[in-house]
Amino acid sequence: MEFEHAGARPRVHPDAVVAQTAVISGDVTIGADCQILHGAVITAEGGAITLGENVIVMENAVIRAVASAPVHIGDHTLIGPGASISGATIGDEVFLATGTRVFNGARIGERSEVRINGVVHLRTVLPPDTVVPIGWVAIGDPVEILSPHEHDRIAAAQRELDFPGFVFGVDRDTPDVMVQLTERYGRSLSRHRSDRAL
């Protein structure tokens, strides 16, 4: 199903195939020979989303862009079931396996692989041909690829990246960080009230 959001309509190449149960919303461009499978959600929340040619977005994957972080996905890229991409740039010939998470401001170089349940954190840069092992966390620029058991190192890097400030513009040290975050983000998301099914 396609939706006009904030005055922008999806543009889907006639050779692309989009499942009837997929949701495409707003300023989204889908290139030739793309395959968007059942339950996938591709939603432009103020920032554009561009899929190149021959991109496969599998079941229940979510791709989201915001005004400060558009999404570009290069040609011949496969996004596995249940994967999530938010505000990132993905190069050509990239494999994002089942359950991967890619966060705002991340850049993934050509021919890289993020294996099952791998994470590419906020503002992280993966050089071309990089592999993130199953369940591991890539974080920073220059990138460190850490085992999920290295919680203290991951937590220290996360604090430095400042997720609440970078993504939501909220000071993480304020006592009511979640109140500010949810109210601000909720107001932004309420713009969907005016969406129109196409």
Side-chain angles (χ1 to χ4, degrees):
M1 178 159 246
E2 295 181 18
F3 291 90
E4 180 180 295
H5 173 66
R9 294 177 169 209
R11 294 162 305 285
V12 178
H13 192 281
D15 293 338
V17 177
V18 177
Q20 290 184 353
T21 58
V23 173
I24 315 296
S25 176
D27 188 5
V28 175
T29 301
I30 296 175
D33 299 310
C34 288
Q35 306 290 323
I36 313 301
L37 302 185
H38 291 286
V41 176
I42 304 174
T43 182
E45 306 282 342
I49 297 175
T50 304
L51 276 62
E53 297 181 359
N54 294 284
V55 174
I56 298 171
V57 180
M58 296 188 73
E59 294 87 354
N60 301 314
V62 176
I63 302 170
R64 174 185 306 275
V66 295
S68 61
V71 171
H72 175 80
I73 298 173
D75 299 343
H76 301 280
T77 288
L78 190 148
I79 300 164
S84 174
I85 299 167
S86 182
T89 300
I90 313 297
D92 295 344
E93 302 175 43
V94 168
F95 175 52
L96 301 177
T98 300
T100 59
R101 302 289 180 254
V102 181
F103 288 92
N104 296 52
R107 295 192 314 264
I108 298 180
E110 293 78 10
R111 299 171 307 281
S112 291
E113 295 181 26
V114 182
R115 296 190 174 154
I116 297 169
N117 293 327
V119 174
V120 179
H121 217 293
L122 193 73
R123 295 187 275 171
T124 294
V125 177
L126 287 187
D129 302 300
T130 300
V131 174
V132 178
I134 292 173
W136 284 45
V137 178
I139 194 163
D141 180 17
V143 68
E144 287 186 88
I145 299 176
L146 303 173
S147 159
H149 302 296
E150 297 182 77
H151 175 32
D152 291 342
R153 288 180 67 193
I154 294 168
Q158 284 178 311
R159 183 149 189 86
E160 193 75 23
L161 292 173
D162 186 21
F163 186 84
F166 184 74
V167 176
F168 298 106
V170 175
D171 180 357
R172 76 176 313 131
D173 294 321
T174 190
D176 64 346
V177 64
M178 288 306 296
V179 171
Q180 289 187 39
L181 189 152
T182 55
E183 288 180 1
R184 180 178 295 190
Y185 195 39
R187 283 190 299 273
S188 173
L189 292 172
S190 72
R191 293 177 300 174
H192 283 286
R193 183 177 298 135
S194 303
D195 287 2
R196 191 166 61 88
L198 301 174

